[in-house]
Amino acid sequence: MGLDIRHDEQGCRYTAAEGGQEVGLLTYQPVSDGVIDFTHTYVPPEQRGRGIADKLVEHALDETLERGLRFQASCWFVDAFARRHERYKQALA
């Protein structure tokens, strides 16, 4: 799968595109200094079941850790993903 994942810091979102078509979205909001809240993950129904949301969330969480930030997960999908992977649990605020 050739996903192109981009971080739109101004728009507080990550997008995943494939072949020029957006196939995934992850939004967040700054909560406090050094903490962001991932609020929503969306993959269109016709694109589901391909692991797009997993790749999108993993990319965003890796970047969050690289930037030295902590995160909250109002989005159930991000929360479940983070709790399944030990390396992200420690960064949960």
Side-chain angles (χ1 to χ4, degrees):
M1 178 179 353
L3 279 183
D4 178 25
I5 299 176
R6 297 187 185 237
H7 182 191
D8 172 8
E9 204 164 344
Q10 299 271 58
C12 295
R13 58 191 241 141
Y14 287 85
T15 57
E18 187 175 56
Q21 176 186 6
E22 190 172 291
V23 294
L25 172 70
L26 172 59
T27 60
Y28 67 90
Q29 294 181 0
V31 175
S32 63
D33 194 32
V35 179
I36 61 175
D37 181 18
F38 288 102
T39 56
H40 184 67
T41 305
Y42 179 75
V43 173
E46 64 275 8
Q47 299 294 338
R48 293 180 186 162
R50 300 177 47 217
I52 293 170
D54 282 339
K55 291 189 183 325
L56 185 58
V57 170
E58 182 176 36
H59 179 94
L61 293 181
D62 284 345
E63 187 173 286
T64 299
L65 294 180
E66 287 170 12
R67 295 172 61 199
L69 301 174
R70 299 190 62 197
F71 69 93
Q72 296 175 188
S74 293
C75 172
W76 69 267
F77 188 87
V78 176
D79 184 61
F81 184 91
R83 292 182 190 284
R84 283 194 319 265
H85 298 86
E86 194 63 40
R87 70 181 188 259
Y88 303 123
K89 285 183 191 178
Q90 62 195 352
L92 273 166

